[in-house]
Amino acid sequence: MNILNKKQKVGFKDFLNFYTKFRIPWGLYIMASALGIVYAEITFKIANCTIQVNKGELYNKIIISYVLLNLLSVAIVTMKNQSLNYGDYKIILRSRGVIWNKILHMKIKEIDNFSPAGLVSGITNDSEQACIAVSSIFEFVASAYGFGKACWILYSYNSIISKYMITLIPFAIFVFWLVGHLQQYTQRRIYAAINQMTIFFSEHVSAVKYVKAQAMEEIEIQEGFRAIDERYKADILNVFLEVVMTSAYSVFNNLTTIFLCVFGSRLVRNGQMELTGINSSSTYMEKVNLYLSESLTQYQNIRGSQGALTEVNRILKAEEEDPSEGEEYITSKKKDIVFDKVEFGYTNQLVIKNVSFTLPYGKTLAIVGNNGSGKTTLMKLMQGFYEANSGTIKIGENELGKTKLEDIRKQFSYIIQNDCMFSGSVKENIIYGCEREVTDEEIVKAAKRAGAHEFIMSFENGYNTILRESGMNLSGGQRKRLSFARAFLSDKDYFLLDEAGANLDSKTYSEIYESVKEKMRGKTVIFIAHEIEKIMDADYILVLTGGEVEAFGTPDELIKSSKTYRDYVSRLKE
Ligand code: ADP
């Protein structure tokens, strides 16, 4: 299974671009860098003390300095780490905000390209890597300073031995390059595996009852192991990388020791270096190696976080919509819905073909057609969830694509097939999206209209009953009634019902539907339904076949013009 997403390439520019989207706490990182440099200075002073002690200069002054410098180094490094940690958590906080904001502003056609659990994983998991690149860059500054200074001290101590050491630099560069590449690949794989796991488990945990009903437990256990195994493989690759890095570093370390022994002893024999020179050079060389290894780790971290943030950068690259952009919504008496030669496809394939009709305001419209004929898509198009490929859609005098989307969407009450409930009280769920202040009486009235008041009152806490995630402690029918209550509370010009009778017994649905008609008297109601009584009762009927309008007109007109409609009616009569 290839879990790396190759759909859209994200590169280094996108990675950098991510860091322009939120405020980086520069002060904290600059302070951490400065403390890192101070820390490096202290370690050099400690190294000097060590060299003096090695030479046998065991004076009190040196011993006391050694102790104090060590204590100071602990204090400095603690402060440095605290600044870095604080900065890191600020970045994680802000980057999560940026991703969440982005998801809510993405065009729906872009959201369709992601799995919901993958988006969740972007906010919860991947975002944790956002701070690594920044903190590593600032740590890198201190490490690079330490490295430069250590090289300089070694050079000042003995320029000949340091020249021998310089010949090892190409090897160090090779190690940097190799480890950076591997780290980016590995982290990308690890985070792709985390995404896959999140998608798999959230999908299957929420469907666990269905898995049991289908007796699929054993097969799903294997599938779950496969998802876990992907993560395991990525982790093992990471372990392998650690081995490569540690081995390369230890080879480098050993080479420096060998170089020091071979060339240092030659210099001592030639009288070009003092007797304790090898020991002193070794102490300085240790610092060179230490800062080189730190720089390597930080470089590795930067490349790694670029890999880990691949999916986040894909999310941030997605096209956005600005619902507040466009012309003001015109509220006039003319509120017809007009489709004019509208064509639309989610992909290259058209699912709405050359659709034209005018629905006069204040009428009811039944959209009829087989599964997949495009009924729901029409409802989504009129609310501007997707842009038509061609043609125009007008809500009253307002053309979609020109008018502010938020204003267009505010005109509609929309009952969808899978009702959306959120964690929170019943009351909070009913008033969700209501822009005005509402009284408890209004809420109860809306619930009564939706046939929900009775079951709400049967709960111990009534309207304050807490719904679990997605309202899972309610039955499908109860969720549907709450959706209706929510819609009744608002005062919209257009009421859309997409198979709203699903989950309701036909008597209840008929009662609620009567309430809709009463509430919407003089306004527009559009519904997708399969109940012939309701279809025949509508003012207009639109018959869709394969995304095309087979017929549009009153029920009487359609008896003559639409075979699909005639079939519906004759089925009723059977
Ligand atoms: P209906 O409501 O008539 O059953 P829809 O409007 O839901 O049909 O779907 C029309 C066609 O568009 C179907 O072929 C369906 O597979 C496709 N479709 C619906 N939603 C999407 C989507 N988000 N992405 C891609 N194709 C989709």
Side-chain angles (χ1 to χ4, degrees):
M1 175 165 55
N2 184 7
I3 55 167
L4 296 184
N5 196 326
K6 293 198 170 131
K7 262 188 242 161
Q8 192 178 16
K9 271 212 161 274
V10 285
F12 191 62
K13 215 171 131 208
D14 302 306
F15 177 58
L16 287 184
N17 195 28
F18 172 56
Y19 292 98
T20 61
K21 303 214 182 277
F22 52 86
R23 205 161 50 77
I24 290 174
W26 296 111
L28 287 168
Y29 285 110
I30 290 170
M31 187 160 91
S33 251
L35 288 169
I37 291 171
V38 173
Y39 176 73
E41 284 295 339
I42 294 172
T43 59
F44 291 127
K45 290 203 170 14
I46 293 173
N48 278 339
C49 289
T50 315
I51 287 169
Q52 282 174 295
V53 169
N54 282 344
K55 281 183 185 171
E57 298 171 12
L58 302 168
Y59 308 119
N60 278 350
K61 196 179 138 206
I62 294 174
I63 306 286
I64 291 169
S65 302
Y66 183 79
V67 171
L68 288 179
L69 284 168
N70 267 298
L71 289 176
L72 189 61
S73 76
V74 171
I76 296 284
V77 89
T78 309
M79 277 160 60
K80 182 193 98 167
N81 288 342
Q82 286 310 312
S83 314
L84 279 178
N85 288 344
Y86 192 38
D88 284 356
Y89 286 118
K90 274 194 179 298
I91 288 194
I92 294 174
L93 170 87
R94 289 172 190 168
S95 64
R96 282 191 171 135
V98 165
I99 303 168
W100 177 226
N101 190 301
K102 177 75 190 190
I103 291 172
L104 286 185
H105 285 102
M106 266 157 90
K107 289 191 170 180
I108 295 180
K109 81 171 173 48
E110 294 277 2
I111 292 182
D112 287 347
N113 292 328
F114 293 88
S115 84
L119 293 173
V120 172
S121 186
I123 300 178
T124 54
N125 301 323
D126 305 10
S127 53
E128 301 220 332
Q129 290 287 314
C131 58
I132 303 228
V134 181
S135 58
S136 296
I137 285 172
F138 281 91
E139 285 195 280
F140 185 79
V141 170
S143 302
Y145 173 83
F147 176 71
K149 178 103 190 213
C151 289
W152 173 247
I153 291 175
L154 182 68
Y155 180 77
S156 311
Y157 176 69
N158 192 309
S159 61
I160 307 171
I161 194 89
S162 60
K163 277 178 196 151
Y164 287 123
M165 293 301 168
I166 283 172
T167 55
L168 289 173
I169 284 180
F171 181 73
I173 291 174
F174 170 72
V175 172
F176 262 70
W177 174 83
L178 177 72
V179 169
H181 257 67
L182 286 175
Q183 184 70 2
Q184 185 178 347
Y185 174 75
T186 317
Q187 289 300 314
R188 192 171 152 217
R189 237 188 111 161
I190 287 179
Y191 277 84
I194 293 176
N195 275 4
Q196 280 303 112
M197 267 202 311
T198 316
I199 292 167
F200 180 87
F201 289 114
S202 62
E203 187 177 31
H204 285 77
V205 167
S206 56
V208 77
K209 286 182 207 131
Y210 193 70
V211 171
K212 281 178 184 291
Q214 299 293 107
M216 288 287 284
E217 290 98 318
E218 292 311 314
I219 289 173
E220 291 302 357
I221 286 171
Q222 295 310 320
E223 287 297 314
F225 275 137
R226 209 166 296 164
I228 299 168
D229 195 46
E230 276 303 320
R231 171 69 208 257
Y232 168 76
K233 281 186 193 145
D235 283 337
I236 292 297
L237 197 67
N238 203 25
V239 170
F240 169 72
L241 175 67
E242 292 285 327
V243 172
V244 169
M245 201 180 89
T246 323
S247 312
Y249 180 66
S250 116
V251 168
F252 181 77
N253 233 341
N254 287 337
L255 276 178
T256 59
T257 313
I258 293 167
F259 269 47
L260 264 181
C261 281
V262 174
F263 299 113
S265 52
R266 192 193 289 172
L267 290 180
V268 173
R269 274 199 299 271
N270 293 347
Q272 290 170 295
M273 196 159 75
E274 59 184 324
L275 265 178
T276 52
I278 295 183
N279 212 349
S280 303
S281 305
S282 168
T283 306
Y284 292 132
M285 201 59 213
E286 260 173 37
K287 296 285 161 224
V288 173
N289 286 357
L290 171 81
Y291 287 115
L292 187 67
S293 127
E294 273 187 22
S295 309
L296 178 64
T297 307
Q298 284 133 16
Y299 175 68
Q300 182 193 18
N301 286 343
I302 295 168
R303 294 297 298 262
S305 76
Q306 187 189 343
L309 292 172
T310 304
E311 192 63 4
V312 166
N313 286 318
R314 203 165 77 82
I315 294 172
L316 295 180
K317 252 187 130 169
E319 225 183 314
E320 283 185 26
E321 64 178 19
D322 180 358
S324 61
E325 198 182 87
E327 294 164 11
E328 293 293 327
Y329 188 85
I330 304 164
T331 315
S332 64
K333 283 191 182 142
K334 194 176 171 304
K335 293 181 183 176
D336 303 352
I337 292 181
V338 182
F339 273 61
D340 185 19
K341 300 193 186 89
V342 174
E343 303 220 298
F344 171 74
Y346 294 97
T347 54
N348 290 338
Q349 201 183 352
L350 287 180
V351 293
I352 295 295
K353 299 166 195 161
N354 199 24
V355 166
S356 297
F357 67 90
T358 298
L359 176 65
Y361 185 58
K363 302 290 178 193
T364 51
L365 168 73
I367 307 178
V368 172
N370 294 331
N371 288 338
S373 56
K375 304 181 293 296
T376 302
T377 306
L378 271 194
M379 286 194 167
K380 290 179 182 166
L381 284 173
M382 59 183 82
Q383 293 173 87
F385 290 165
Y386 297 91
E387 288 158 40
N389 298 14
S390 60
T392 50
I393 302 170
K394 278 185 157 186
I395 309 298
E397 293 180 36
N398 308 281
E399 189 175 328
L400 263 84
K402 291 187 178 164
T403 312
K404 286 182 182 177
L405 267 177
E406 60 187 13
D407 288 348
I408 295 273
R409 289 175 186 162
K410 276 181 202 163
Q411 311 306 315
F412 292 89
S413 283
Y414 185 32
I415 304 285
I416 58 174
Q417 292 175 24
N418 303 318
D419 305 280
C420 281
M421 294 293 137
F422 300 97
S423 313
S425 70
V426 166
K427 183 174 162 185
E428 283 165 348
N429 269 282
I430 294 180
I431 61 175
Y432 186 83
C434 191
E435 284 177 292
R436 62 192 170 86
E437 285 285 314
V438 283
T439 61
D440 284 352
E441 287 71 38
E442 283 178 283
I443 295 171
V444 171
K445 193 174 162 197
K448 279 185 177 164
R449 268 200 161 134
H453 179 69
E454 217 168 289
F455 83 78
I456 295 171
M457 291 315 288
S458 72
F459 296 148
E460 200 182 326
N461 296 317
Y463 283 79
N464 294 321
T465 304
I466 297 297
L467 299 192
R468 285 172 58 199
E469 178 193 340
S470 309
M472 60 193 284
N473 47 341
L474 295 181
S475 73
Q478 289 171 331
R479 281 198 293 271
K480 184 63 76 191
R481 290 176 216 211
L482 288 189
S483 291
F484 272 106
R486 191 187 278 164
F488 285 142
L489 205 55
S490 51
D491 189 23
K492 308 288 174 81
D493 281 341
Y494 308 92
F495 206 116
L496 307 183
L497 300 108
D498 189 349
E499 312 233 5
N503 295 327
L504 293 173
D505 60 84
S506 60
K507 183 171 167 287
T508 309
Y509 180 42
S510 294
E511 284 167 11
I512 300 176
Y513 185 67
E514 285 310 311
S515 297
V516 172
K517 285 207 304 188
E518 186 194 314
K519 167 114 175 102
M520 297 299 290
R521 191 160 293 136
K523 297 180 178 183
T524 298
V525 177
I526 303 177
F527 64 94
I528 297 170
H530 299 289
E531 302 87 3
I532 191 67
E533 305 86 347
K534 290 191 181 56
I535 296 169
M536 286 172 77
D537 181 53
D539 297 317
Y540 289 90
I541 298 169
L542 176 79
V543 183
L544 274 183
T545 307
E548 288 179 86
V549 177
E550 182 186 311
F552 174 77
T554 63
D556 290 343
E557 287 166 354
L558 254 66
I559 281 286
K560 293 174 209 137
S561 60
S562 166
K563 181 179 175 315
T564 310
Y565 182 66
R566 275 197 302 276
D567 289 348
Y568 259 114
V569 176
S570 58
R571 245 180 276 150
L572 177 76
K573 287 178 182 164
E574 275 164 13

